[in-house]
Amino acid sequence: MAEDGDRFLRIYMNDQLALGIGWREVAKRARGENDGTSLGEALQRVATGISEDIETFEAMMERLGFGRDRVKTAAATVAERMGRLKLNGRIRGYSPLSRF
């Protein structure tokens, strides 16, 4: 029974790690799109905070002996990149509503 708990915890932690990586990539992209503005500065703090959370999470997983699921983390990065391809009425850059 304890083995099941470890298995489920490992799955959960890898899911959360992948989500964190996805959100970090979104924050980094948004920061870059708003570089030199007050919004860009705020997004830099958000991206830094998410990166620190990911490092903490990875350290927790290492202490628990849980390996990182490279497929899930790669899928999160690919999903963020694919999200950039959505049509927003502009060929390049933000549309007026993209920040929302």
Side-chain angles (χ1 to χ4, degrees), residues 74-93:
T77 302
V78 168
E80 188 280 326
R81 299 289 193 283
M82 289 180 67
R84 296 178 186 191
L85 299 174
K86 71 182 181 321
L87 299 176
N88 67 358
R90 302 281 172 116
I91 293 174
R92 294 181 45 87

Side-chain angles (χ1 to χ4, degrees), residues 3-15 61 64 66:
E3 290 177 17
D4 278 345
D6 285 352
R7 182 169 63 96
F8 293 132
L9 182 59
R10 183 178 296 113
I11 291 168
Y12 171 80
M13 292 188 79
N14 270 291
D15 288 349
M61 290 177 67
L64 291 169
F66 293 165

Side-chain angles (χ1 to χ4, degrees), residues 9-37:
L9 182 59
R10 183 178 296 113
I11 291 168
Y12 171 80
M13 292 188 79
N14 270 291
D15 288 349
Q16 296 304 308
L17 177 62
L19 286 170
I21 289 170
W23 283 118
R24 179 190 62 196
E25 295 304 308
V26 168
K28 285 170 45 177
R29 178 188 52 80
R31 179 205 61 217
E33 293 287 337
N34 294 282
D35 201 23
T37 68

Side-chain angles (χ1 to χ4, degrees), residues 18-64:
L19 286 170
I21 289 170
W23 283 118
R24 179 190 62 196
E25 295 304 308
V26 168
K28 285 170 45 177
R29 178 188 52 80
R31 179 205 61 217
E33 293 287 337
N34 294 282
D35 201 23
T37 68
S38 60
L39 183 56
E41 293 171 15
L43 288 166
Q44 174 62 48
R45 290 190 300 274
V46 169
T48 298
I50 293 171
S51 293
E52 290 169 355
D53 289 347
I54 289 170
E55 290 173 13
T56 299
F57 213 77
E58 288 174 325
M60 289 171 45
M61 290 177 67
E62 186 174 326
R63 276 181 286 186
L64 291 169

